Amino acid sequence: QAQLVESGGGLVQPGGSLRLSCAASGFTFSSYAMRWYRQAPAKERELVASITTARGSTNYADSVKGRFTISRDNAKNTVYLQMNSLKPEDTAVYYCKATRALYVYWGQGTQVTVSS
């Protein structure tokens, strides 16, 4: 059974850093493009960052470009989101998503709160 489990969220002060992890199991992780999304209260879920399979090409939302870095370790079946220079507006539940053709898997999410 395919599963994605996020971890690493928490409370951090503005300007701080967090590293989110998303551990995959039950499917061939290296064959799936991976994405991080976030959803703030009363807002729609938005795409934050994505990484492809083979070359690991990355893309970012303008709001996080230069501050966030997505990476993957296919040997560990894990995708990461390094978040630096965090702002209060980064507060949200962060989800990872795996996609390959018609197959789509979501994690349960991890809360990130940026507040002093």
Side-chain angles (χ1 to χ4, degrees), residues 5 14 20-22 33 46 53 61 63-64 66 71 81 84 86 90 112-113:
V5 179
L20 304 184
S21 300
C22 171
E46 63 169 341
T53 53
S63 58
V64 306
S71 61
L81 186 67
N84 300 327
L86 283 161
D90 294 318
V112 172
T113 302

Side-chain angles (χ1 to χ4, degrees), residues 7-86:
S7 61
L11 174 63
V12 63
Q13 292 187 344
S17 298
L18 282 175
R19 188 195 196 201
L20 304 184
S21 300
C22 171
S25 61
F27 62 97
T28 307
F29 175 78
S30 59
S31 298
Y32 282 69
M34 298 299 298
R35 295 175 175 87
W36 284 98
Y37 287 77
R38 67 185 181 187
Q39 187 166 20
K43 291 190 176 181
E44 293 196 356
R45 192 171 296 190
E46 63 169 341
L47 177 62
V48 174
S50 62
I51 187 166
T52 60
T53 53
R55 293 189 176 185
S57 298
T58 58
N59 277 290
Y60 300 92
D62 287 343
S63 58
V64 306
K65 204 169 291 185
R67 300 188 298 121
F68 290 11
T69 303
I70 187 172
S71 61
R72 66 188 298 159
D73 186 337
N74 289 337
K76 295 183 178 180
N77 290 347
T78 301
V79 62
Y80 304 97
L81 186 67
Q82 177 67 45
M83 305 186 296
N84 300 327
S85 302
L86 283 161

